[in-house]
Amino acid sequence: MTAQGRELGLGKDLIGLESLTGAQIEAILDTAEPFKEISERKIKKVPVLRGQTIVNLFLEPSTRTRISFEFAEKRLSADTVNISSAGSSVQKGETLVDTARNLEAMRIHMVVVRHGSSGAAKFLADRIPSNVINAGDGQHEHPTQALLDLLTIRDRFGAIAGRRVCIVGDILHSRVARSNIWGLLKCGAEVAVCGPRTLIPAGIEELGVQRLGSIEEAIEWCDVLYVLRLQLERMEGGYVPSLREYNRVFGVSSERLGRAGDEMIVLHPGPMNRGVEIDSDVADGPRSVILPQVTNGVAVRMAVLYLLAGGRPELAEDAKVGGP
Ligand code: CP
């Protein structure tokens, strides 16, 4: 275990937010704060991960997560290698563990893994000594997405505790929803969900989450409307009658936002289906913090990499190294 592990108790890996405490989550967000400034510098680089080799093993498509991890690693001066299923021996049937063991034989330190199967990140973490960071596993968790969402909410409101957050849409297939529900509840937010019955898991109330009956009710209730992507690729049919019908009943339009409180903000993890779950004038409108979410993704991932590699939660001195 790293020095950080002893201090914050995060352990070797970041698999999900379910196993973390609210204090640990807030400490990761605090650690991300000084890293925001590094991305605003002319020379966006500090040497805190010099000598660390990180493998980004993305066996499912990704734009935001893959690229922001790569930026985060490069800004911390780590050496990075990117692997996707296309062009690697995964296409020839090599298993996840064999792939990772071969990478370890080349003396790596960390693996950032995205995989289509729930549990893949934990499975890998239990079998290799390198740090493993879950960049999204099936329908299970996407912890760094939720961390960047929490940071964005905290930036806007000053605190997460006491805020009302409604997650709208395809909760059933969403690892983003699951990580956000854990993270928000642990940080003291009130959480609700809203969407078609077919896309809300049975028994979700047992987690401490309310169910709201309509998008209008959700918009009136919340400080943060978290709009999820309709995961068309994970649906085998029958969940919603049609995309047009989904938009008519649950789509977030500027007309519907007329019911919102003055401070209410709109988040979306991306990629968006414009005109399905969210209209363009909302996605690009004044309540949207969708691009600030993406910006925060780099700082949060720098913090996670830094902490798992052994950095201290109070890193100001390390982060200053390298200068503006
Ligand atoms: N939010 C998110 O995970 O986006 P990508 O699939 O582009 O990484």
Side-chain angles (χ1 to χ4, degrees), residues 58 60-68 114 135-136 142 144-145 148-149 175-176 226 229 268-271 293-294 301:
F58 276 70
E60 251 198 352
S62 169
T63 299
R64 280 146 290 270
T65 312
R66 183 175 57 80
I67 292 171
S68 65
R114 170 167 289 194
H142 190 350
T144 58
Q145 175 67 46
L148 73 88
D149 299 329
R175 55 198 177 205
V176 172
Y226 196 113
R229 184 171 71 88
H268 192 300
Q293 285 176 268
V294 177
R301 287 167 179 133

mmCIF file of all heavy atoms in Angstrom, residues 58 60-68 114 135-136 142 144-145 148-149 175-176 226 229 268-271 293-294 301, ligand 1:
data_model
loop_
_atom_site.group_PDB
_atom_site.id
_atom_site.type_symbol
_atom_site.label_atom_id
_atom_site.label_comp_id
_atom_site.label_asym_id
_atom_site.label_seq_id
_atom_site.Cartn_x
_atom_site.Cartn_y
_atom_site.Cartn_z
ATOM 1 N N PHE A 58 -8.407 0.492 -22.746
ATOM 2 C CA PHE A 58 -9.805 0.837 -23.040
ATOM 3 C C PHE A 58 -10.385 -0.175 -24.016
ATOM 4 O O PHE A 58 -10.120 -0.118 -25.213
ATOM 5 C CB PHE A 58 -9.903 2.275 -23.568
ATOM 6 C CG PHE A 58 -9.947 3.277 -22.443
ATOM 7 C CD1 PHE A 58 -8.831 3.511 -21.663
ATOM 8 C CD2 PHE A 58 -11.118 3.953 -22.143
ATOM 9 C CE1 PHE A 58 -8.875 4.400 -20.594
ATOM 10 C CE2 PHE A 58 -11.174 4.846 -21.080
ATOM 11 C CZ PHE A 58 -10.053 5.073 -20.307
ATOM 12 N N GLU A 60 -13.613 -0.660 -24.444
ATOM 13 C CA GLU A 60 -14.915 -0.142 -24.894
ATOM 14 C C GLU A 60 -14.650 1.273 -25.390
ATOM 15 O O GLU A 60 -13.706 1.917 -24.918
ATOM 16 C CB GLU A 60 -15.872 -0.032 -23.701
ATOM 17 C CG GLU A 60 -16.989 -1.020 -23.665
ATOM 18 C CD GLU A 60 -18.107 -0.573 -22.719
ATOM 19 O OE1 GLU A 60 -17.969 0.411 -21.992
ATOM 20 O OE2 GLU A 60 -19.136 -1.259 -22.734
ATOM 21 N N PRO A 61 -15.489 1.794 -26.295
ATOM 22 C CA PRO A 61 -15.237 3.151 -26.797
ATOM 23 C C PRO A 61 -15.281 4.212 -25.701
ATOM 24 O O PRO A 61 -15.995 4.068 -24.713
ATOM 25 C CB PRO A 61 -16.385 3.380 -27.792
ATOM 26 C CG PRO A 61 -16.907 2.029 -28.116
ATOM 27 C CD PRO A 61 -16.658 1.166 -26.917
ATOM 28 N N SER A 62 -14.511 5.272 -25.900
ATOM 29 C CA SER A 62 -14.503 6.407 -24.966
ATOM 30 C C SER A 62 -13.847 7.598 -25.645
ATOM 31 O O SER A 62 -12.870 7.427 -26.370
ATOM 32 C CB SER A 62 -13.705 6.043 -23.710
ATOM 33 O OG SER A 62 -13.478 7.182 -22.910
ATOM 34 N N THR A 63 -14.378 8.777 -25.401
ATOM 35 C CA THR A 63 -13.686 10.000 -25.813
ATOM 36 C C THR A 63 -13.208 10.731 -24.566
ATOM 37 O O THR A 63 -12.008 10.856 -24.315
ATOM 38 C CB THR A 63 -14.624 10.916 -26.630
ATOM 39 O OG1 THR A 63 -15.029 10.205 -27.799
ATOM 40 C CG2 THR A 63 -13.927 12.206 -27.035
ATOM 41 N N ARG A 64 -14.156 11.215 -23.737
ATOM 42 C CA ARG A 64 -13.826 12.056 -22.592
ATOM 43 C C ARG A 64 -12.912 11.368 -21.581
ATOM 44 O O ARG A 64 -11.888 11.919 -21.175
ATOM 45 C CB ARG A 64 -15.111 12.490 -21.856
ATOM 46 C CG ARG A 64 -15.846 13.636 -22.474
ATOM 47 C CD ARG A 64 -17.339 13.458 -22.259
ATOM 48 N NE ARG A 64 -17.767 12.339 -23.087
ATOM 49 C CZ ARG A 64 -18.191 12.493 -24.342
ATOM 50 N NH1 ARG A 64 -18.346 13.677 -24.844
ATOM 51 N NH2 ARG A 64 -18.493 11.451 -25.088
ATOM 52 N N THR A 65 -13.290 10.166 -21.160
ATOM 53 C CA THR A 65 -12.545 9.514 -20.074
ATOM 54 C C THR A 65 -11.131 9.166 -20.535
ATOM 55 O O THR A 65 -10.148 9.450 -19.840
ATOM 56 C CB THR A 65 -13.295 8.236 -19.631
ATOM 57 O OG1 THR A 65 -14.671 8.570 -19.440
ATOM 58 C CG2 THR A 65 -12.723 7.673 -18.367
ATOM 59 N N ARG A 66 -11.009 8.571 -21.703
ATOM 60 C CA ARG A 66 -9.688 8.146 -22.195
ATOM 61 C C ARG A 66 -8.772 9.349 -22.386
ATOM 62 O O ARG A 66 -7.630 9.364 -21.934
ATOM 63 C CB ARG A 66 -9.859 7.378 -23.511
ATOM 64 C CG ARG A 66 -8.574 6.826 -24.074
ATOM 65 C CD ARG A 66 -8.831 5.975 -25.305
ATOM 66 N NE ARG A 66 -9.541 6.696 -26.360
ATOM 67 C CZ ARG A 66 -8.966 7.536 -27.210
ATOM 68 N NH1 ARG A 66 -7.674 7.786 -27.137
ATOM 69 N NH2 ARG A 66 -9.682 8.145 -28.129
ATOM 70 N N ILE A 67 -9.309 10.379 -23.036
ATOM 71 C CA ILE A 67 -8.444 11.525 -23.340
ATOM 72 C C ILE A 67 -8.107 12.309 -22.075
ATOM 73 O O ILE A 67 -6.982 12.771 -21.902
ATOM 74 C CB ILE A 67 -9.101 12.389 -24.443
ATOM 75 C CG1 ILE A 67 -9.091 11.585 -25.737
ATOM 76 C CG2 ILE A 67 -8.385 13.718 -24.606
ATOM 77 C CD1 ILE A 67 -9.871 12.184 -26.872
ATOM 78 N N SER A 68 -9.065 12.433 -21.162
ATOM 79 C CA SER A 68 -8.745 13.205 -19.951
ATOM 80 C C SER A 68 -7.780 12.434 -19.051
ATOM 81 O O SER A 68 -6.939 13.043 -18.389
ATOM 82 C CB SER A 68 -10.005 13.646 -19.211
ATOM 83 O OG SER A 68 -10.689 12.543 -18.722
ATOM 84 N N ARG A 114 -11.182 0.390 -18.891
ATOM 85 C CA ARG A 114 -12.616 0.444 -19.243
ATOM 86 C C ARG A 114 -12.960 -0.883 -19.893
ATOM 87 O O ARG A 114 -12.244 -1.371 -20.775
ATOM 88 C CB ARG A 114 -12.928 1.578 -20.202
ATOM 89 C CG ARG A 114 -14.363 1.459 -20.731
ATOM 90 C CD ARG A 114 -14.855 2.661 -21.413
ATOM 91 N NE ARG A 114 -15.085 3.742 -20.476
ATOM 92 C CZ ARG A 114 -15.775 4.845 -20.784
ATOM 93 N NH1 ARG A 114 -16.286 4.987 -21.993
ATOM 94 N NH2 ARG A 114 -15.954 5.798 -19.900
ATOM 95 N N ALA A 135 -12.298 2.855 -15.129
ATOM 96 C CA ALA A 135 -12.746 3.944 -16.016
ATOM 97 C C ALA A 135 -14.114 3.617 -16.614
ATOM 98 O O ALA A 135 -14.490 4.174 -17.657
ATOM 99 C CB ALA A 135 -11.720 4.169 -17.121
ATOM 100 N N GLY A 136 -14.868 2.748 -15.912
ATOM 101 C CA GLY A 136 -16.208 2.357 -16.361
ATOM 102 C C GLY A 136 -16.240 0.874 -16.660
ATOM 103 O O GLY A 136 -15.552 0.426 -17.590
ATOM 104 N N HIS A 142 -18.572 4.000 -12.472
ATOM 105 C CA HIS A 142 -17.685 4.864 -13.258
ATOM 106 C C HIS A 142 -17.244 5.955 -12.266
ATOM 107 O O HIS A 142 -17.706 7.091 -12.299
ATOM 108 C CB HIS A 142 -18.466 5.445 -14.440
ATOM 109 C CG HIS A 142 -17.638 6.162 -15.455
ATOM 110 N ND1 HIS A 142 -16.311 6.487 -15.266
ATOM 111 C CD2 HIS A 142 -17.958 6.636 -16.695
ATOM 112 C CE1 HIS A 142 -15.861 7.122 -16.343
ATOM 113 N NE2 HIS A 142 -16.833 7.214 -17.219
ATOM 114 N N THR A 144 -14.606 7.880 -11.524
ATOM 115 C CA THR A 144 -14.013 9.204 -11.801
ATOM 116 C C THR A 144 -15.021 10.127 -12.471
ATOM 117 O O THR A 144 -14.925 11.348 -12.332
ATOM 118 C CB THR A 144 -12.712 9.105 -12.633
ATOM 119 O OG1 THR A 144 -12.976 8.445 -13.873
ATOM 120 C CG2 THR A 144 -11.623 8.373 -11.865
ATOM 121 N N GLN A 145 -16.011 9.582 -13.182
ATOM 122 C CA GLN A 145 -17.077 10.422 -13.733
ATOM 123 C C GLN A 145 -17.870 11.056 -12.583
ATOM 124 O O GLN A 145 -18.139 12.251 -12.586
ATOM 125 C CB GLN A 145 -18.011 9.586 -14.624
ATOM 126 C CG GLN A 145 -19.214 10.356 -15.142
ATOM 127 C CD GLN A 145 -18.851 11.456 -16.126
ATOM 128 O OE1 GLN A 145 -18.067 11.224 -17.037
ATOM 129 N NE2 GLN A 145 -19.413 12.644 -15.979
ATOM 130 N N LEU A 148 -15.907 13.829 -10.859
ATOM 131 C CA LEU A 148 -15.881 15.116 -11.585
ATOM 132 C C LEU A 148 -17.251 15.792 -11.528
ATOM 133 O O LEU A 148 -17.349 17.034 -11.493
ATOM 134 C CB LEU A 148 -15.372 14.917 -13.027
ATOM 135 C CG LEU A 148 -16.266 14.248 -14.075
ATOM 136 C CD1 LEU A 148 -17.150 15.248 -14.776
ATOM 137 C CD2 LEU A 148 -15.393 13.543 -15.105
ATOM 138 N N ASP A 149 -18.301 14.991 -11.472
ATOM 139 C CA ASP A 149 -19.649 15.571 -11.326
ATOM 140 C C ASP A 149 -19.798 16.224 -9.956
ATOM 141 O O ASP A 149 -20.330 17.334 -9.838
ATOM 142 C CB ASP A 149 -20.720 14.479 -11.495
ATOM 143 C CG ASP A 149 -20.675 13.831 -12.871
ATOM 144 O OD1 ASP A 149 -20.302 14.515 -13.840
ATOM 145 O OD2 ASP A 149 -20.997 12.634 -12.970
ATOM 146 N N ARG A 175 -23.806 3.025 -15.260
ATOM 147 C CA ARG A 175 -22.750 2.995 -14.232
ATOM 148 C C ARG A 175 -22.528 4.406 -13.668
ATOM 149 O O ARG A 175 -22.131 4.568 -12.539
ATOM 150 C CB ARG A 175 -21.454 2.436 -14.822
ATOM 151 C CG ARG A 175 -20.964 3.159 -16.064
ATOM 152 C CD ARG A 175 -19.969 2.314 -16.835
ATOM 153 N NE ARG A 175 -19.512 2.935 -18.066
ATOM 154 C CZ ARG A 175 -19.058 2.253 -19.106
ATOM 155 N NH1 ARG A 175 -19.032 0.934 -19.085
ATOM 156 N NH2 ARG A 175 -18.625 2.868 -20.175
ATOM 157 N N VAL A 176 -22.796 5.419 -14.501
ATOM 158 C CA VAL A 176 -22.646 6.805 -14.041
ATOM 159 C C VAL A 176 -23.671 7.079 -12.941
ATOM 160 O O VAL A 176 -23.351 7.686 -11.912
ATOM 161 C CB VAL A 176 -22.824 7.780 -15.225
ATOM 162 C CG1 VAL A 176 -22.867 9.219 -14.735
ATOM 163 C CG2 VAL A 176 -21.714 7.592 -16.246
ATOM 164 N N TYR A 226 -29.483 15.990 -13.428
ATOM 165 C CA TYR A 226 -28.419 15.193 -14.043
ATOM 166 C C TYR A 226 -29.064 14.333 -15.138
ATOM 167 O O TYR A 226 -29.752 13.361 -14.850
ATOM 168 C CB TYR A 226 -27.731 14.310 -12.985
ATOM 169 C CG TYR A 226 -26.403 13.783 -13.494
ATOM 170 C CD1 TYR A 226 -25.206 14.188 -12.929
ATOM 171 C CD2 TYR A 226 -26.338 12.910 -14.570
ATOM 172 C CE1 TYR A 226 -23.995 13.746 -13.413
ATOM 173 C CE2 TYR A 226 -25.142 12.463 -15.066
ATOM 174 C CZ TYR A 226 -23.972 12.883 -14.480
ATOM 175 O OH TYR A 226 -22.772 12.437 -14.979
ATOM 176 N N ARG A 229 -27.598 9.757 -20.624
ATOM 177 C CA ARG A 229 -27.721 9.339 -22.025
ATOM 178 C C ARG A 229 -28.606 8.087 -22.092
ATOM 179 O O ARG A 229 -28.477 7.187 -21.247
ATOM 180 C CB ARG A 229 -26.317 8.996 -22.553
ATOM 181 C CG ARG A 229 -26.246 8.636 -23.984
ATOM 182 C CD ARG A 229 -24.797 8.548 -24.405
ATOM 183 N NE ARG A 229 -24.127 7.379 -23.848
ATOM 184 C CZ ARG A 229 -24.101 6.192 -24.417
ATOM 185 N NH1 ARG A 229 -24.727 5.988 -25.560
ATOM 186 N NH2 ARG A 229 -23.454 5.183 -23.858
ATOM 187 N N HIS A 268 -24.654 16.548 -17.707
ATOM 188 C CA HIS A 268 -24.785 15.377 -18.578
ATOM 189 C C HIS A 268 -23.387 14.784 -18.704
ATOM 190 O O HIS A 268 -22.428 15.531 -18.907
ATOM 191 C CB HIS A 268 -25.326 15.798 -19.950
ATOM 192 C CG HIS A 268 -25.758 14.651 -20.832
ATOM 193 N ND1 HIS A 268 -24.886 13.657 -21.233
ATOM 194 C CD2 HIS A 268 -26.957 14.345 -21.389
ATOM 195 C CE1 HIS A 268 -25.551 12.787 -21.988
ATOM 196 N NE2 HIS A 268 -26.812 13.172 -22.091
ATOM 197 N N PRO A 269 -23.250 13.450 -18.590
ATOM 198 C CA PRO A 269 -21.897 12.873 -18.639
ATOM 199 C C PRO A 269 -21.318 12.782 -20.051
ATOM 200 O O PRO A 269 -20.118 12.574 -20.211
ATOM 201 C CB PRO A 269 -22.099 11.463 -18.064
ATOM 202 C CG PRO A 269 -23.518 11.133 -18.416
ATOM 203 C CD PRO A 269 -24.273 12.438 -18.343
ATOM 204 N N GLY A 270 -22.180 12.903 -21.066
ATOM 205 C CA GLY A 270 -21.739 12.721 -22.431
ATOM 206 C C GLY A 270 -21.499 11.242 -22.721
ATOM 207 O O GLY A 270 -21.312 10.461 -21.794
ATOM 208 N N PRO A 271 -21.508 10.825 -23.970
ATOM 209 C CA PRO A 271 -21.908 11.637 -25.116
ATOM 210 C C PRO A 271 -23.422 11.863 -25.113
ATOM 211 O O PRO A 271 -24.180 11.007 -24.659
ATOM 212 C CB PRO A 271 -21.476 10.780 -26.312
ATOM 213 C CG PRO A 271 -21.429 9.376 -25.799
ATOM 214 C CD PRO A 271 -21.100 9.456 -24.347
ATOM 215 N N GLN A 293 -17.859 20.259 -16.578
ATOM 216 C CA GLN A 293 -17.674 18.872 -16.120
ATOM 217 C C GLN A 293 -16.442 18.267 -16.795
ATOM 218 O O GLN A 293 -15.618 17.608 -16.161
ATOM 219 C CB GLN A 293 -18.890 17.999 -16.494
ATOM 220 C CG GLN A 293 -20.126 18.203 -15.662
ATOM 221 C CD GLN A 293 -21.261 17.342 -16.211
ATOM 222 O OE1 GLN A 293 -22.045 17.797 -17.047
ATOM 223 N NE2 GLN A 293 -21.367 16.107 -15.762
ATOM 224 N N VAL A 294 -16.344 18.472 -18.099
ATOM 225 C CA VAL A 294 -15.235 17.877 -18.860
ATOM 226 C C VAL A 294 -13.904 18.468 -18.378
ATOM 227 O O VAL A 294 -12.922 17.745 -18.176
ATOM 228 C CB VAL A 294 -15.429 18.094 -20.375
ATOM 229 C CG1 VAL A 294 -14.245 17.540 -21.154
ATOM 230 C CG2 VAL A 294 -16.731 17.439 -20.843
ATOM 231 N N ARG A 301 -8.947 13.441 -12.323
ATOM 232 C CA ARG A 301 -8.139 12.249 -12.665
ATOM 233 C C ARG A 301 -6.684 12.454 -12.263
ATOM 234 O O ARG A 301 -6.009 11.506 -11.855
ATOM 235 C CB ARG A 301 -8.337 11.914 -14.140
ATOM 236 C CG ARG A 301 -9.744 11.320 -14.315
ATOM 237 C CD ARG A 301 -10.268 11.196 -15.687
ATOM 238 N NE ARG A 301 -11.600 10.582 -15.609
ATOM 239 C CZ ARG A 301 -12.684 11.018 -16.243
ATOM 240 N NH1 ARG A 301 -12.627 12.085 -17.031
ATOM 241 N NH2 ARG A 301 -13.830 10.402 -16.086
HETATM 242 N N1 CP B 1 -18.732 10.196 -19.733
HETATM 243 C C1 CP B 1 -18.006 9.275 -20.361
HETATM 244 O O1 CP B 1 -17.614 8.257 -19.787
HETATM 245 O O2 CP B 1 -17.713 9.574 -21.669
HETATM 246 P P1 CP B 1 -16.813 8.682 -22.617
HETATM 247 O O3 CP B 1 -17.551 7.395 -22.871
HETATM 248 O O4 CP B 1 -16.606 9.503 -23.860
HETATM 249 O O5 CP B 1 -15.511 8.404 -21.900
#
